[in-house]
Amino acid sequence: MNSFFNSVYDSRILNLVIFFPLAVAALVAFLPKDEKGQIRAVTLAGMILSFITTLWAWSRFDTHSPVEFQLEYRMQWLADAGISYHVGVDGLAVALVLLTGVLGPMVVLSSWTFVQERTKEFHIALLVLQTATFGAFCAIDTLLFFMFFEAVLIPMYLLIGVWGSEERQKAALKFFLYTMVGSVLMLLALFAVYFLAAPSGARSFDYSTLYNGLMNASRELAQNLQQNPDGSGVGRLSHVALALYTYGPWLFAAFALAFAIKVPMFPFHTWLPDAHVQAPVAGSMVLAGVMLKLGTYGFWRFAVPLFPVAARQHQKLFATLALIGIVYGALMCLAQRDIKKLIAYSSVSHLGYCMLGIFAFTAEGATGSAYQMLNHGVSTGALFLLFGMLYERRHARLMSDYGGIARIMPVYAAFFLIVTFSSIAVPGTNGFVGEFLVLLGTFKSNLPIAFGVIATTCVILGAAYMLWMVQKVFFGQVTHQENLALKDLSGRELAAAIPFILLIALMGLKPQPFLDVLNTSTERYVARAKFAAGEGSSDDSKVRVLVRQLPRVAVAEMNPVLQLVGDQPQGNTPPRQLARPVQRPLPMIPLQPAQPSLQPANP
């Protein structure tokens, strides 16, 4: 009875996580627009409570559970199209949800006095953005993911275009167009996978249906290409495997382009520096801390698992692009005189390590990549927060406008130096753990050793540009009289900065609790990449995606196809075969939440 009680309530945690910020946004919408203090206080309280809900979800995640997607909730939505409201989290998703919740209160505090115009609309945009981001990380239905993935664009476009700097409209338009082009291509590819992965009458946008429907065909194609590298044996392939051989690389390219733009990878990165420079501090924090992770998460969850053969075939290409991003981002940082643009280009370099770990296809590389996603959100988010505090005082972005301010703002300088150490991966900080695992995984992968050597060497470049910036801004003589009047951090600013310092220390000195959660996803990611690429064990029980089914009665009434061939048997019951469709009108059925028992997915 207690287990059932916990299961019922656990299955609704993610609904609370996703939609609570939206409820707060509705409350803020009813507040008088002139009551700026009240609007800020309500939004901050809502963000704190939202963080508590993410902490609750994190605490309920069981690292020893054999279930992949936990806290799962599923409800019928658009039955005829095979679309359900289906949410759940694995290790990586719940970690990114927690990161999003952690950043929320600090984002509000960072803009407490900076945003004076259209204050209500600004905070509503932040809350709506929070909901869209939570939804994207929690969605298991792929079309639901796409909707949240696209919903993120609207509030971020407004944050940049309305509350940004001088050239904000140009930067906002560039950001929107880049990401929209990639998203349209991904949507077309998603429809193609929808028709390919399951027969008529059993099609669904659910991730389990798409992945399981392509899994055996991907393995068949991989084994065929191993035996016939010239492609001479493709005539013996099943129709699904043959379709993957013909169209798989193009479908993978469409998914990869959408996510590469969002990361952003070289050469699709050009929108990022403009967006960061023009965005307000809160926008830069959300963009760097959370939104860019939608790109790396997309590769991890969709692009590579759905098209593992194409991903393996293009492994060196994407590893090379990741390596170019690492080197190029670091060199561009060395050439910058604008502090905010330097931090923006550092994101290109750091996220190159994330992508390198993903395409190493090793346990160490994948774990390091996942940990680096969290590290980048903490370290770069903190850099934008701290620089925003300085910019609010001086309204200047160039290094030459500063110098010697460590003696004027000693607490601020100490905080900035700690975050700098995190960014350059000094041992004892969070950055070291992620980069070390990525580099170790790269050396252990089948990539040429030069990839690991170059990536390791670029760690030195990271230290060079960050320490050079710190030296120019904080040390030496005070050359501008205006800087003598600068005040050190206030109580509100300390409240926003201290959590970042604590996270840097916690994740650097005690990473194992975070790694234990991430490893639950890493093991499956690597196993699936090896299985579908024709490597590893032939047992598919460890790589098949199992999710919660819709209620049995609802499924039977909704769809005459009762079960698909390949369902895992329950106990001693033999696998059910594909039923013959019965042509009759589909009755209306009430929306019902899923029952707490777990059932295998439809392949």
Side-chain angles (χ1 to χ4, degrees), residues 34-78:
D34 295 330
E35 295 292 338
K36 297 180 180 179
Q38 194 176 76
I39 291 170
R40 295 186 182 108
V42 170
T43 305
L44 177 61
M47 287 293 194
I48 293 174
L49 292 175
S50 178
F51 162 64
I52 292 174
T53 65
T54 63
L55 199 61
W56 183 20
W58 172 272
S59 68
R60 297 301 301 168
F61 189 86
D62 183 6
T63 58
H64 301 291
S65 173
V67 179
E68 178 179 6
F69 292 105
Q70 300 182 38
L71 310 180
E72 195 178 350
Y73 182 88
R74 191 174 187 183
M75 184 177 67
Q76 189 60 57
W77 186 15
L78 301 175

mmCIF file of all heavy atoms in Angstrom, residues 34-78:
data_model
loop_
_atom_site.group_PDB
_atom_site.id
_atom_site.type_symbol
_atom_site.label_atom_id
_atom_site.label_comp_id
_atom_site.label_asym_id
_atom_site.label_seq_id
_atom_site.Cartn_x
_atom_site.Cartn_y
_atom_site.Cartn_z
ATOM 1 N N ASP A 34 2.761 48.615 -11.826
ATOM 2 C CA ASP A 34 3.593 49.596 -11.128
ATOM 3 C C ASP A 34 4.181 49.050 -9.828
ATOM 4 O O ASP A 34 5.085 49.670 -9.260
ATOM 5 C CB ASP A 34 2.774 50.850 -10.827
ATOM 6 C CG ASP A 34 2.337 51.567 -12.105
ATOM 7 O OD1 ASP A 34 3.080 51.474 -13.104
ATOM 8 O OD2 ASP A 34 1.256 52.185 -12.094
ATOM 9 N N GLU A 35 3.688 47.920 -9.355
ATOM 10 C CA GLU A 35 4.192 47.323 -8.110
ATOM 11 C C GLU A 35 5.404 46.444 -8.429
ATOM 12 O O GLU A 35 5.348 45.209 -8.352
ATOM 13 C CB GLU A 35 3.093 46.510 -7.437
ATOM 14 C CG GLU A 35 1.918 47.325 -6.954
ATOM 15 C CD GLU A 35 2.305 48.238 -5.782
ATOM 16 O OE1 GLU A 35 3.317 47.938 -5.105
ATOM 17 O OE2 GLU A 35 1.612 49.243 -5.563
ATOM 18 N N LYS A 36 6.525 47.100 -8.767
ATOM 19 C CA LYS A 36 7.702 46.354 -9.217
ATOM 20 C C LYS A 36 8.289 45.490 -8.102
ATOM 21 O O LYS A 36 8.718 44.359 -8.345
ATOM 22 C CB LYS A 36 8.752 47.324 -9.749
ATOM 23 C CG LYS A 36 8.288 48.108 -10.967
ATOM 24 C CD LYS A 36 9.359 49.064 -11.457
ATOM 25 C CE LYS A 36 8.851 49.839 -12.672
ATOM 26 N NZ LYS A 36 9.868 50.803 -13.179
ATOM 27 N N GLY A 37 8.313 46.024 -6.901
ATOM 28 C CA GLY A 37 8.841 45.240 -5.790
ATOM 29 C C GLY A 37 8.017 43.998 -5.524
ATOM 30 O O GLY A 37 8.554 42.911 -5.256
ATOM 31 N N GLN A 38 6.715 44.138 -5.615
ATOM 32 C CA GLN A 38 5.824 42.997 -5.407
ATOM 33 C C GLN A 38 6.008 41.961 -6.505
ATOM 34 O O GLN A 38 6.027 40.748 -6.229
ATOM 35 C CB GLN A 38 4.381 43.501 -5.375
ATOM 36 C CG GLN A 38 3.371 42.506 -4.850
ATOM 37 C CD GLN A 38 1.985 43.108 -4.764
ATOM 38 O OE1 GLN A 38 1.318 43.267 -5.784
ATOM 39 N NE2 GLN A 38 1.559 43.464 -3.556
ATOM 40 N N ILE A 39 6.149 42.417 -7.736
ATOM 41 C CA ILE A 39 6.355 41.498 -8.861
ATOM 42 C C ILE A 39 7.647 40.714 -8.677
ATOM 43 O O ILE A 39 7.686 39.491 -8.859
ATOM 44 C CB ILE A 39 6.381 42.288 -10.182
ATOM 45 C CG1 ILE A 39 4.988 42.844 -10.496
ATOM 46 C CG2 ILE A 39 6.890 41.423 -11.329
ATOM 47 C CD1 ILE A 39 4.964 43.831 -11.632
ATOM 48 N N ARG A 40 8.712 41.411 -8.296
ATOM 49 C CA ARG A 40 10.002 40.730 -8.097
ATOM 50 C C ARG A 40 9.919 39.738 -6.942
ATOM 51 O O ARG A 40 10.449 38.624 -7.022
ATOM 52 C CB ARG A 40 11.092 41.765 -7.833
ATOM 53 C CG ARG A 40 11.369 42.702 -9.007
ATOM 54 C CD ARG A 40 12.558 43.603 -8.702
ATOM 55 N NE ARG A 40 12.797 44.529 -9.795
ATOM 56 C CZ ARG A 40 12.536 45.845 -9.746
ATOM 57 N NH1 ARG A 40 12.014 46.389 -8.648
ATOM 58 N NH2 ARG A 40 12.792 46.609 -10.787
ATOM 59 N N ALA A 41 9.256 40.136 -5.856
ATOM 60 C CA ALA A 41 9.173 39.262 -4.682
ATOM 61 C C ALA A 41 8.374 37.999 -4.984
ATOM 62 O O ALA A 41 8.777 36.890 -4.599
ATOM 63 C CB ALA A 41 8.554 40.024 -3.515
ATOM 64 N N VAL A 42 7.252 38.154 -5.679
ATOM 65 C CA VAL A 42 6.435 36.989 -6.017
ATOM 66 C C VAL A 42 7.193 36.060 -6.963
ATOM 67 O O VAL A 42 7.176 34.833 -6.810
ATOM 68 C CB VAL A 42 5.093 37.430 -6.641
ATOM 69 C CG1 VAL A 42 4.342 36.228 -7.212
ATOM 70 C CG2 VAL A 42 4.242 38.148 -5.602
ATOM 71 N N THR A 43 7.883 36.636 -7.953
ATOM 72 C CA THR A 43 8.651 35.808 -8.886
ATOM 73 C C THR A 43 9.777 35.082 -8.169
ATOM 74 O O THR A 43 10.015 33.892 -8.417
ATOM 75 C CB THR A 43 9.236 36.676 -10.012
ATOM 76 O OG1 THR A 43 8.182 37.402 -10.654
ATOM 77 C CG2 THR A 43 9.937 35.815 -11.046
ATOM 78 N N LEU A 44 10.485 35.778 -7.278
ATOM 79 C CA LEU A 44 11.564 35.135 -6.526
ATOM 80 C C LEU A 44 11.021 34.006 -5.654
ATOM 81 O O LEU A 44 11.599 32.905 -5.622
ATOM 82 C CB LEU A 44 12.287 36.168 -5.661
ATOM 83 C CG LEU A 44 13.405 35.620 -4.765
ATOM 84 C CD1 LEU A 44 14.507 34.980 -5.608
ATOM 85 C CD2 LEU A 44 13.978 36.720 -3.876
ATOM 86 N N ALA A 45 9.913 34.258 -4.963
ATOM 87 C CA ALA A 45 9.312 33.203 -4.133
ATOM 88 C C ALA A 45 8.900 32.026 -5.005
ATOM 89 O O ALA A 45 9.100 30.862 -4.627
ATOM 90 C CB ALA A 45 8.120 33.761 -3.369
ATOM 91 N N GLY A 46 8.331 32.307 -6.180
ATOM 92 C CA GLY A 46 7.945 31.230 -7.081
ATOM 93 C C GLY A 46 9.141 30.433 -7.568
ATOM 94 O O GLY A 46 9.077 29.201 -7.651
ATOM 95 N N MET A 47 10.244 31.116 -7.879
ATOM 96 C CA MET A 47 11.447 30.414 -8.329
ATOM 97 C C MET A 47 12.046 29.562 -7.208
ATOM 98 O O MET A 47 12.553 28.464 -7.453
ATOM 99 C CB MET A 47 12.480 31.421 -8.833
ATOM 100 C CG MET A 47 12.154 32.044 -10.178
ATOM 101 S SD MET A 47 12.227 30.839 -11.522
ATOM 102 C CE MET A 47 12.235 31.923 -12.945
ATOM 103 N N ILE A 48 11.996 30.061 -5.988
ATOM 104 C CA ILE A 48 12.505 29.273 -4.853
ATOM 105 C C ILE A 48 11.661 28.017 -4.655
ATOM 106 O O ILE A 48 12.187 26.910 -4.466
ATOM 107 C CB ILE A 48 12.540 30.130 -3.572
ATOM 108 C CG1 ILE A 48 13.584 31.247 -3.704
ATOM 109 C CG2 ILE A 48 12.836 29.256 -2.348
ATOM 110 C CD1 ILE A 48 13.574 32.228 -2.552
ATOM 111 N N LEU A 49 10.343 28.175 -4.707
ATOM 112 C CA LEU A 49 9.465 27.010 -4.578
ATOM 113 C C LEU A 49 9.649 26.052 -5.755
ATOM 114 O O LEU A 49 9.595 24.831 -5.593
ATOM 115 C CB LEU A 49 8.011 27.464 -4.482
ATOM 116 C CG LEU A 49 7.623 28.214 -3.204
ATOM 117 C CD1 LEU A 49 6.193 28.721 -3.295
ATOM 118 C CD2 LEU A 49 7.798 27.311 -1.983
ATOM 119 N N SER A 50 9.880 26.603 -6.945
ATOM 120 C CA SER A 50 10.151 25.757 -8.110
ATOM 121 C C SER A 50 11.428 24.957 -7.904
ATOM 122 O O SER A 50 11.495 23.766 -8.242
ATOM 123 C CB SER A 50 10.260 26.623 -9.357
ATOM 124 O OG SER A 50 10.569 25.835 -10.497
ATOM 125 N N PHE A 51 12.451 25.602 -7.348
ATOM 126 C CA PHE A 51 13.690 24.874 -7.034
ATOM 127 C C PHE A 51 13.428 23.746 -6.040
ATOM 128 O O PHE A 51 13.983 22.649 -6.172
ATOM 129 C CB PHE A 51 14.725 25.847 -6.479
ATOM 130 C CG PHE A 51 15.849 25.175 -5.743
ATOM 131 C CD1 PHE A 51 16.731 24.318 -6.412
ATOM 132 C CD2 PHE A 51 16.024 25.370 -4.376
ATOM 133 C CE1 PHE A 51 17.761 23.688 -5.724
ATOM 134 C CE2 PHE A 51 17.048 24.752 -3.694
ATOM 135 C CZ PHE A 51 17.919 23.902 -4.371
ATOM 136 N N ILE A 52 12.566 23.989 -5.074
ATOM 137 C CA ILE A 52 12.249 22.945 -4.090
ATOM 138 C C ILE A 52 11.582 21.756 -4.778
ATOM 139 O O ILE A 52 11.849 20.595 -4.438
ATOM 140 C CB ILE A 52 11.358 23.526 -2.975
ATOM 141 C CG1 ILE A 52 12.158 24.541 -2.144
ATOM 142 C CG2 ILE A 52 10.821 22.414 -2.078
ATOM 143 C CD1 ILE A 52 11.327 25.278 -1.106
ATOM 144 N N THR A 53 10.711 22.014 -5.760
ATOM 145 C CA THR A 53 10.082 20.896 -6.473
ATOM 146 C C THR A 53 11.122 20.078 -7.248
ATOM 147 O O THR A 53 11.021 18.859 -7.321
ATOM 148 C CB THR A 53 8.998 21.406 -7.441
ATOM 149 O OG1 THR A 53 9.593 22.203 -8.469
ATOM 150 C CG2 THR A 53 7.937 22.196 -6.708
ATOM 151 N N THR A 54 12.114 20.755 -7.840
ATOM 152 C CA THR A 54 13.164 20.009 -8.555
ATOM 153 C C THR A 54 14.031 19.222 -7.575
ATOM 154 O O THR A 54 14.476 18.112 -7.883
ATOM 155 C CB THR A 54 14.049 20.959 -9.379
ATOM 156 O OG1 THR A 54 14.731 21.878 -8.515
ATOM 157 C CG2 THR A 54 13.214 21.733 -10.378
ATOM 158 N N LEU A 55 14.249 19.790 -6.393
ATOM 159 C CA LEU A 55 15.006 19.072 -5.369
ATOM 160 C C LEU A 55 14.229 17.852 -4.894
ATOM 161 O O LEU A 55 14.819 16.790 -4.620
ATOM 162 C CB LEU A 55 15.282 20.022 -4.198
ATOM 163 C CG LEU A 55 16.414 19.634 -3.236
ATOM 164 C CD1 LEU A 55 17.742 19.565 -3.969
ATOM 165 C CD2 LEU A 55 16.490 20.638 -2.097
ATOM 166 N N TRP A 56 12.929 17.963 -4.832
ATOM 167 C CA TRP A 56 12.071 16.823 -4.476
ATOM 168 C C TRP A 56 12.184 15.736 -5.546
ATOM 169 O O TRP A 56 12.340 14.550 -5.225
ATOM 170 C CB TRP A 56 10.630 17.309 -4.329
ATOM 171 C CG TRP A 56 9.648 16.267 -3.910
ATOM 172 C CD1 TRP A 56 9.923 15.074 -3.293
ATOM 173 C CD2 TRP A 56 8.224 16.314 -4.053
ATOM 174 N NE1 TRP A 56 8.758 14.376 -3.058
ATOM 175 C CE2 TRP A 56 7.700 15.119 -3.504
ATOM 176 C CE3 TRP A 56 7.347 17.259 -4.579
ATOM 177 C CZ2 TRP A 56 6.337 14.842 -3.485
ATOM 178 C CZ3 TRP A 56 5.980 16.993 -4.553
ATOM 179 C CH2 TRP A 56 5.490 15.799 -4.017
ATOM 180 N N ALA A 57 12.122 16.129 -6.815
ATOM 181 C CA ALA A 57 12.274 15.148 -7.892
ATOM 182 C C ALA A 57 13.636 14.470 -7.829
ATOM 183 O O ALA A 57 13.754 13.248 -8.002
ATOM 184 C CB ALA A 57 12.078 15.829 -9.245
ATOM 185 N N TRP A 58 14.684 15.233 -7.554
ATOM 186 C CA TRP A 58 16.040 14.672 -7.449
ATOM 187 C C TRP A 58 16.106 13.662 -6.303
ATOM 188 O O TRP A 58 16.709 12.593 -6.436
ATOM 189 C CB TRP A 58 17.031 15.809 -7.229
ATOM 190 C CG TRP A 58 18.439 15.393 -6.911
ATOM 191 C CD1 TRP A 58 18.961 15.140 -5.686
ATOM 192 C CD2 TRP A 58 19.508 15.162 -7.842
ATOM 193 N NE1 TRP A 58 20.287 14.780 -5.781
ATOM 194 C CE2 TRP A 58 20.644 14.787 -7.091
ATOM 195 C CE3 TRP A 58 19.604 15.247 -9.222
ATOM 196 C CZ2 TRP A 58 21.870 14.498 -7.691
ATOM 197 C CZ3 TRP A 58 20.828 14.961 -9.821
ATOM 198 C CH2 TRP A 58 21.935 14.591 -9.063
ATOM 199 N N SER A 59 15.484 14.008 -5.167
ATOM 200 C CA SER A 59 15.544 13.115 -4.008
ATOM 201 C C SER A 59 14.769 11.825 -4.238
ATOM 202 O O SER A 59 15.075 10.794 -3.635
ATOM 203 C CB SER A 59 14.989 13.837 -2.772
ATOM 204 O OG SER A 59 13.595 14.065 -2.907
ATOM 205 N N ARG A 60 13.754 11.841 -5.094
ATOM 206 C CA ARG A 60 12.949 10.650 -5.366
ATOM 207 C C ARG A 60 13.552 9.775 -6.461
ATOM 208 O O ARG A 60 13.039 8.686 -6.716
ATOM 209 C CB ARG A 60 11.526 11.047 -5.772
ATOM 210 C CG ARG A 60 10.746 11.781 -4.689
ATOM 211 C CD ARG A 60 10.613 10.960 -3.438
ATOM 212 N NE ARG A 60 9.939 9.689 -3.681
ATOM 213 C CZ ARG A 60 9.882 8.687 -2.818
ATOM 214 N NH1 ARG A 60 10.518 8.787 -1.655
ATOM 215 N NH2 ARG A 60 9.235 7.585 -3.113
ATOM 216 N N PHE A 61 14.615 10.244 -7.111
ATOM 217 C CA PHE A 61 15.243 9.440 -8.164
ATOM 218 C C PHE A 61 16.109 8.357 -7.525
ATOM 219 O O PHE A 61 16.984 8.641 -6.709
ATOM 220 C CB PHE A 61 16.103 10.327 -9.068
ATOM 221 C CG PHE A 61 16.602 9.626 -10.301
ATOM 222 C CD1 PHE A 61 15.829 9.560 -11.447
ATOM 223 C CD2 PHE A 61 17.845 8.998 -10.313
ATOM 224 C CE1 PHE A 61 16.284 8.912 -12.581
ATOM 225 C CE2 PHE A 61 18.304 8.348 -11.435
ATOM 226 C CZ PHE A 61 17.523 8.297 -12.574
ATOM 227 N N ASP A 62 15.858 7.117 -7.902
ATOM 228 C CA ASP A 62 16.537 5.966 -7.303
ATOM 229 C C ASP A 62 17.619 5.471 -8.259
ATOM 230 O O ASP A 62 17.328 4.955 -9.339
ATOM 231 C CB ASP A 62 15.518 4.855 -7.027
ATOM 232 C CG ASP A 62 16.140 3.645 -6.341
ATOM 233 O OD1 ASP A 62 17.341 3.709 -5.983
ATOM 234 O OD2 ASP A 62 15.426 2.633 -6.179
ATOM 235 N N THR A 63 18.877 5.626 -7.856
ATOM 236 C CA THR A 63 19.996 5.208 -8.716
ATOM 237 C C THR A 63 20.113 3.696 -8.828
ATOM 238 O O THR A 63 20.796 3.202 -9.728
ATOM 239 C CB THR A 63 21.320 5.779 -8.187
ATOM 240 O OG1 THR A 63 21.523 5.340 -6.833
ATOM 241 C CG2 THR A 63 21.311 7.291 -8.227
ATOM 242 N N HIS A 64 19.474 2.950 -7.941
ATOM 243 C CA HIS A 64 19.550 1.484 -7.976
ATOM 244 C C HIS A 64 18.333 0.855 -8.675
ATOM 245 O O HIS A 64 18.258 -0.373 -8.777
ATOM 246 C CB HIS A 64 19.657 0.928 -6.556
ATOM 247 C CG HIS A 64 20.856 1.430 -5.803
ATOM 248 N ND1 HIS A 64 22.153 1.068 -6.124
ATOM 249 C CD2 HIS A 64 20.949 2.284 -4.754
ATOM 250 C CE1 HIS A 64 22.991 1.667 -5.300
ATOM 251 N NE2 HIS A 64 22.290 2.407 -4.458
ATOM 252 N N SER A 65 17.433 1.667 -9.128
ATOM 253 C CA SER A 65 16.232 1.136 -9.779
ATOM 254 C C SER A 65 16.565 0.612 -11.169
ATOM 255 O O SER A 65 17.346 1.231 -11.905
ATOM 256 C CB SER A 65 15.167 2.234 -9.882
ATOM 257 O OG SER A 65 14.066 1.784 -10.652
ATOM 258 N N PRO A 66 15.989 -0.542 -11.560
ATOM 259 C CA PRO A 66 16.193 -1.036 -12.929
ATOM 260 C C PRO A 66 15.404 -0.245 -13.963
ATOM 261 O O PRO A 66 15.589 -0.424 -15.167
ATOM 262 C CB PRO A 66 15.695 -2.484 -12.852
ATOM 263 C CG PRO A 66 14.661 -2.462 -11.768
ATOM 264 C CD PRO A 66 15.152 -1.465 -10.764
ATOM 265 N N VAL A 67 14.496 0.615 -13.495
ATOM 266 C CA VAL A 67 13.659 1.410 -14.393
ATOM 267 C C VAL A 67 14.467 2.587 -14.917
ATOM 268 O O VAL A 67 15.129 3.297 -14.153
ATOM 269 C CB VAL A 67 12.405 1.909 -13.658
ATOM 270 C CG1 VAL A 67 11.548 2.762 -14.573
ATOM 271 C CG2 VAL A 67 11.609 0.731 -13.123
ATOM 272 N N GLU A 68 14.418 2.796 -16.223
ATOM 273 C CA GLU A 68 15.179 3.896 -16.818
ATOM 274 C C GLU A 68 14.528 5.242 -16.556
ATOM 275 O O GLU A 68 15.147 6.149 -15.994
ATOM 276 C CB GLU A 68 15.321 3.677 -18.326
ATOM 277 C CG GLU A 68 16.059 4.818 -19.021
ATOM 278 C CD GLU A 68 16.226 4.578 -20.503
ATOM 279 O OE1 GLU A 68 15.682 3.579 -21.020
ATOM 280 O OE2 GLU A 68 16.908 5.393 -21.154
ATOM 281 N N PHE A 69 13.269 5.403 -16.969
ATOM 282 C CA PHE A 69 12.559 6.665 -16.791
ATOM 283 C C PHE A 69 11.721 6.590 -15.521
ATOM 284 O O PHE A 69 10.774 5.811 -15.434
ATOM 285 C CB PHE A 69 11.671 6.966 -17.998
ATOM 286 C CG PHE A 69 12.455 7.255 -19.248
ATOM 287 C CD1 PHE A 69 12.542 6.306 -20.257
ATOM 288 C CD2 PHE A 69 13.115 8.455 -19.414
ATOM 289 C CE1 PHE A 69 13.260 6.559 -21.409
ATOM 290 C CE2 PHE A 69 13.838 8.726 -20.560
ATOM 291 C CZ PHE A 69 13.916 7.773 -21.563
ATOM 292 N N GLN A 70 12.083 7.397 -14.557
ATOM 293 C CA GLN A 70 11.400 7.401 -13.277
ATOM 294 C C GLN A 70 10.500 8.635 -13.161
ATOM 295 O O GLN A 70 10.558 9.539 -13.974
ATOM 296 C CB GLN A 70 12.420 7.364 -12.143
ATOM 297 C CG GLN A 70 13.311 6.120 -12.175
ATOM 298 C CD GLN A 70 14.282 6.071 -11.016
ATOM 299 O OE1 GLN A 70 13.971 6.447 -9.887
ATOM 300 N NE2 GLN A 70 15.492 5.574 -11.287
ATOM 301 N N LEU A 71 9.680 8.636 -12.104
ATOM 302 C CA LEU A 71 8.698 9.697 -11.878
ATOM 303 C C LEU A 71 7.827 9.878 -13.114
ATOM 304 O O LEU A 71 7.432 10.986 -13.466
ATOM 305 C CB LEU A 71 9.402 11.022 -11.530
ATOM 306 C CG LEU A 71 10.470 10.970 -10.438
ATOM 307 C CD1 LEU A 71 11.058 12.345 -10.214
ATOM 308 C CD2 LEU A 71 9.915 10.415 -9.144
ATOM 309 N N GLU A 72 7.503 8.764 -13.745
ATOM 310 C CA GLU A 72 6.871 8.783 -15.063
ATOM 311 C C GLU A 72 5.367 9.019 -14.955
ATOM 312 O O GLU A 72 4.698 8.474 -14.083
ATOM 313 C CB GLU A 72 7.153 7.451 -15.761
ATOM 314 C CG GLU A 72 6.871 7.438 -17.241
ATOM 315 C CD GLU A 72 7.233 6.099 -17.861
ATOM 316 O OE1 GLU A 72 7.866 5.277 -17.158
ATOM 317 O OE2 GLU A 72 6.879 5.865 -19.022
ATOM 318 N N TYR A 73 4.852 9.838 -15.842
ATOM 319 C CA TYR A 73 3.418 10.110 -15.910
ATOM 320 C C TYR A 73 3.006 10.097 -17.377
ATOM 321 O O TYR A 73 3.666 10.704 -18.219
ATOM 322 C CB TYR A 73 3.089 11.463 -15.285
ATOM 323 C CG TYR A 73 1.610 11.796 -15.270
ATOM 324 C CD1 TYR A 73 0.811 11.388 -14.214
ATOM 325 C CD2 TYR A 73 1.031 12.518 -16.308
ATOM 326 C CE1 TYR A 73 -0.547 11.687 -14.187
ATOM 327 C CE2 TYR A 73 -0.324 12.820 -16.290
ATOM 328 C CZ TYR A 73 -1.102 12.406 -15.231
ATOM 329 O OH TYR A 73 -2.444 12.699 -15.206
ATOM 330 N N ARG A 74 1.905 9.405 -17.662
ATOM 331 C CA ARG A 74 1.450 9.320 -19.054
ATOM 332 C C ARG A 74 -0.059 9.427 -19.110
ATOM 333 O O ARG A 74 -0.770 8.762 -18.357
ATOM 334 C CB ARG A 74 1.912 8.013 -19.693
ATOM 335 C CG ARG A 74 1.709 7.990 -21.207
ATOM 336 C CD ARG A 74 2.314 6.749 -21.821
ATOM 337 N NE ARG A 74 2.266 6.820 -23.274
ATOM 338 C CZ ARG A 74 2.671 5.843 -24.072
ATOM 339 N NH1 ARG A 74 3.149 4.716 -23.557
ATOM 340 N NH2 ARG A 74 2.599 5.984 -25.381
ATOM 341 N N MET A 75 -0.540 10.258 -20.022
ATOM 342 C CA MET A 75 -1.969 10.467 -20.188
ATOM 343 C C MET A 75 -2.271 10.630 -21.678
ATOM 344 O O MET A 75 -1.496 11.247 -22.414
ATOM 345 C CB MET A 75 -2.408 11.718 -19.424
ATOM 346 C CG MET A 75 -3.903 11.986 -19.456
ATOM 347 S SD MET A 75 -4.336 13.433 -18.442
ATOM 348 C CE MET A 75 -3.563 14.733 -19.379
ATOM 349 N N GLN A 76 -3.382 10.021 -22.119
ATOM 350 C CA GLN A 76 -3.747 10.120 -23.529
ATOM 351 C C GLN A 76 -4.014 11.570 -23.901
ATOM 352 O O GLN A 76 -4.632 12.326 -23.154
ATOM 353 C CB GLN A 76 -4.984 9.272 -23.794
ATOM 354 C CG GLN A 76 -5.309 9.141 -25.262
ATOM 355 C CD GLN A 76 -4.171 8.506 -26.027
ATOM 356 O OE1 GLN A 76 -3.758 7.399 -25.689
ATOM 357 N NE2 GLN A 76 -3.642 9.197 -27.004
ATOM 358 N N TRP A 77 -3.552 11.978 -25.075
ATOM 359 C CA TRP A 77 -3.743 13.351 -25.518
ATOM 360 C C TRP A 77 -4.427 13.366 -26.891
ATOM 361 O O TRP A 77 -5.613 13.603 -26.989
ATOM 362 C CB TRP A 77 -2.382 14.067 -25.553
ATOM 363 C CG TRP A 77 -2.468 15.529 -25.850
ATOM 364 C CD1 TRP A 77 -3.578 16.315 -25.815
ATOM 365 C CD2 TRP A 77 -1.380 16.382 -26.214
ATOM 366 N NE1 TRP A 77 -3.261 17.614 -26.143
ATOM 367 C CE2 TRP A 77 -1.915 17.690 -26.389
ATOM 368 C CE3 TRP A 77 -0.026 16.182 -26.394
ATOM 369 C CZ2 TRP A 77 -1.119 18.774 -26.754
ATOM 370 C CZ3 TRP A 77 0.774 17.259 -26.753
ATOM 371 C CH2 TRP A 77 0.222 18.540 -26.926
ATOM 372 N N LEU A 78 -3.680 13.093 -27.958
ATOM 373 C CA LEU A 78 -4.241 13.015 -29.306
ATOM 374 C C LEU A 78 -4.113 11.574 -29.773
ATOM 375 O O LEU A 78 -3.105 11.165 -30.347
ATOM 376 C CB LEU A 78 -3.503 13.968 -30.254
ATOM 377 C CG LEU A 78 -3.526 15.445 -29.852
ATOM 378 C CD1 LEU A 78 -2.676 16.269 -30.797
ATOM 379 C CD2 LEU A 78 -4.960 15.970 -29.831
#
